[in-house]
Amino acid sequence: MKRPMFVFILLFLASSVFCQNFTESGEILTLDGLSFASDILNEIVFENGEISIINYEGYFEEKRHIILNDKYDIEKKGSLVFLNLKNESKSFLCLASDEVLLLYDEKNESPFFFGFSSMRGLELISQPDKITASSELLENDYVYSASNLGNFNLSQPWVEGVPGNGEGEYITLSGNCTYIYLFNGYISYSKPYLYERNSRIKKIKITTNTENGEKEFIFNLFDTPNPQKINLGERVTDDIKLEILEVYPGTKYQDTCLNALLFKIF
């Protein structure tokens, strides 16, 4: 009597592992079964190894138009993931979690597609503003400013500007969120190797000011460019400070990079 139950448990665990889309560290295993809305009329659906970009004229499925439908495969270039389409001869740089998707093509630094897993969730997200930093890297007349964290442009991260790996450097931003999605490292479509060559944040301290007083949180980050979700425990509508405590060292440069931040109210 025990053996069938044991076999059932094994099969259940195997199927659970098989259905996972991401590893614990945020590495993409598969996107199948996921869908993301960019607004009320546009959606991306992944199913059976195919990507479909759908435009809806109204609220009824029969009025939908499939803008793109193609087979794809996943290719890793260092830590970055690219989706290679079979028929369109296109390749998208992909940053994804089970809630957030950003796709970039080779022509634009801003996202070709930005979407959330639900329309309700999409209404509750925003990008931070009023961002300042303890230091910013000046290189070849370009400042890797903290204000870059308020957009999703590639090759425009915030980079701390002090000697060494930047432990103790910080950014301060105006908050209106319960969750922060953090995109680690230097992310480039044409130069994916820059992610490993520059340092990334490994451990971060977040200080918040709320009606319940000042609070501090320590978070360990995974070494991935994909969005990592940080739960602040309550809605914060005042300043938020993010301080670098420890880094993943770059293979060539000590500069520590942070690509973007995204807020979700609740």
Side-chain angles (χ1 to χ4, degrees), residues 86-151:
K86 297 294 187 179
N87 298 319
E88 293 285 334
S89 297
K90 290 183 179 179
S91 184
F92 296 122
L93 190 161
C94 175
L95 303 175
S97 69
D98 56 356
E99 293 185 316
V100 181
L101 174 72
L102 283 80
L103 295 180
Y104 296 84
D105 60 23
E106 62 182 343
K107 298 179 180 179
N108 300 296
E109 294 298 323
S110 58
F112 164 82
F113 180 91
F114 167 75
F116 203 77
S117 57
S118 69
M119 275 302 305
R120 177 59 176 160
L122 193 63
E123 294 169 356
L124 298 173
I125 62 176
S126 64
Q127 290 173 272
D129 57 10
K130 299 180 181 178
I131 311 170
T132 60
S134 57
S135 67
E136 299 171 332
L137 178 65
L138 171 62
E139 186 177 63
N140 298 326
D141 296 324
Y142 179 78
V143 178
Y144 288 93
S145 170
S147 63
N148 290 342
L149 297 172
N151 61 53

Side-chain angles (χ1 to χ4, degrees), residues 202-206 217-221 230-232:
K202 182 176 184 179
K203 183 180 290 186
I204 194 168
K205 179 169 75 174
I206 297 181
F217 307 87
I218 304 294
F219 294 98
N220 293 308
L221 302 179
I230 294 173
N231 186 355
L232 300 178

Side-chain angles (χ1 to χ4, degrees), residues 39 41-43 53-58 63-67:
D39 53 44
L41 295 178
N42 294 281
E43 179 184 30
I53 301 178
I54 303 170
N55 174 261
Y56 297 91
E57 289 186 353
K63 293 185 178 180
R64 70 179 191 169
H65 299 279
I66 297 179
I67 307 301

